[in-house]
Amino acid sequence: MKPSETSAAWTSQRNGDKLAFAFDLGNASSPAGSFSSVGCAASCHSNLGSSVMYPSSGKVDIWNWDLALSSPLGYAVDMVANTDSLSHDNGNRLYYRNSNGNTGRSGPAYEWDGSTQTVTLPNGQSSILDPAFYLFNKTAFIGNIQRGDSIYQSATPPGDCVSCHGSVGQGGSSSIINTISQNKKSRAALMASMDNIADMAPYWLPLSQQDRDDIVAYLRGLSGVPGYYLNTPDGSNADIKAISNLTPIQVKNAMLPVTNVHTVYQLLITRKLNTTNTDDAQFDLTTQRSYTFGVALMDNDGKNHIGSLKETLIFK
Ligand code: HEC
């Protein structure tokens, strides 16, 4: 679903593949009924027809695997929906908003620092996160985007980048520079590369360091900066582990502005029956062998999801 806001400021769609489970955590209920009788309808929509994810009493444990925000680090997000909020479990979270202000439209606080983003997954394997999509090793985002824009668009050099690369980096007599692949270069590497392009010398070399930083801030705006940065979770946020056979190529295809072409992939989610954390549903097989739960699937779309309201998990 397209957001109704304008695209005049920074924006992030928050779309991506997600798979969410909901388990009762303290007798959740809504006008639709109790969790044990109606499943997810007790948790997700206290006012039926609204998209508010809160029960009207009790709490619900939400397990949310997210292609962009939890999968790269090998987890599913662990959350609790209670009567007035949907909040993360205790501990360091898997991701934080990459914003320098109070809203997602304020612009990024961080960008990639240029170092290889090697992470250790909960299963002990290591993985390298592609900076085109994921922000993990970060440094402060610097530069004045508006100033960079005006130097970029100036009618005469220095600046005047528009004459070869187009008004929004879409390309012209020279290359397209507004693609996410630009994020594979750190700020320093991108500047060094520009220093060495002979055609660009009169336009780029006379600029001050401040001018250059402002232009790169503008270029980052054109190519996009991850709207969240990832973080190694701990405490109750590290309870739900996930492995999938999703490859970066499939992720890349899913993010291209064409139809969603990624094919089938599989996902294995594991969690201890008893985490001993108070913000988790526990499974005590000595007292109870069947548990009501709900499941929802988001196919590259956070708002329109399909779900089953009531499922039963039976331990045999
Ligand atoms: C006279 C034409 C011209 C102008 C003006 C120009 N460039 Fe370029 N730019 C090039 C050429 C040529 C390349 C090399 C790639 C290609 O062949 O298109 C390039 C490449 C780039 C790249 C890609 C570098 C990389 O390693 O990925 C960036 C970014 C870039 N230019 C930014 C700018 C900025 C910012 C300005 C304004 C200060 C600017 N360019 C002005 C011709 C130009």
Side-chain angles (χ1 to χ4, degrees), residues 74-266:
Y75 292 91
V77 186
D78 201 349
M79 307 183 91
V80 174
N82 58 37
T83 52
D84 58 5
S85 63
L86 176 64
S87 49
H88 288 257
D89 278 14
N90 292 319
N92 283 323
R93 288 168 46 180
L94 266 163
Y95 62 87
Y96 293 90
R97 200 85 170 95
N98 181 21
S99 166
N100 65 10
N102 292 327
T103 77
R105 296 173 73 84
S106 323
Y110 298 104
E111 64 183 78
W112 179 46
D113 72 4
S115 63
T116 307
Q117 303 192 120
T118 308
V119 293
T120 305
L121 305 178
N123 65 6
Q125 290 180 339
S126 68
S127 170
I128 295 178
L129 303 181
D130 185 340
F133 308 109
Y134 305 118
L135 183 56
F136 189 77
N137 293 346
K138 60 192 191 302
T139 183
F141 184 95
I142 52 170
N144 179 321
I145 297 162
Q146 283 78 14
R147 220 181 142 257
D149 185 12
S150 64
I151 302 168
Y152 183 100
Q153 313 291 352
S154 77
T156 51
D160 188 21
C161 320
V162 58
S163 60
C164 292
H165 293 291
S167 59
V168 289
Q170 76 275 28
S173 58
S174 296
S175 52
I176 299 168
I177 52 171
N178 64 1
T179 63
I180 49 173
S181 59
Q182 289 295 328
N183 289 341
K184 288 175 181 286
K185 292 194 180 106
S186 67
R187 184 175 282 255
L190 190 59
M191 288 184 170
S193 155
M194 290 192 261
D195 287 347
N196 290 323
I197 297 169
D199 286 357
M200 279 179 54
Y203 304 87
W204 172 253
L205 294 182
L207 296 171
S208 69
Q209 188 60 39
Q210 181 65 56
D211 294 342
R212 292 169 179 216
D213 275 322
D214 293 347
I215 289 197
V216 172
Y218 176 66
L219 295 181
R220 294 288 193 224
L222 297 180
S223 51
V225 176
Y228 293 83
Y229 59 90
L230 304 177
N231 179 66
T232 305
D234 65 14
S236 193
N237 275 317
D239 287 329
I240 312 169
K241 299 169 171 96
I243 315 173
S244 79
N245 57 358
L246 188 63
T247 68
I249 297 301
Q250 288 169 306
V251 175
K252 191 172 182 175
N253 285 341
M255 293 182 71
L256 286 174
V258 291
T259 33
N260 195 352
V261 290
H262 61 70
T263 52
V264 175
Y265 57 86
Q266 278 116 13

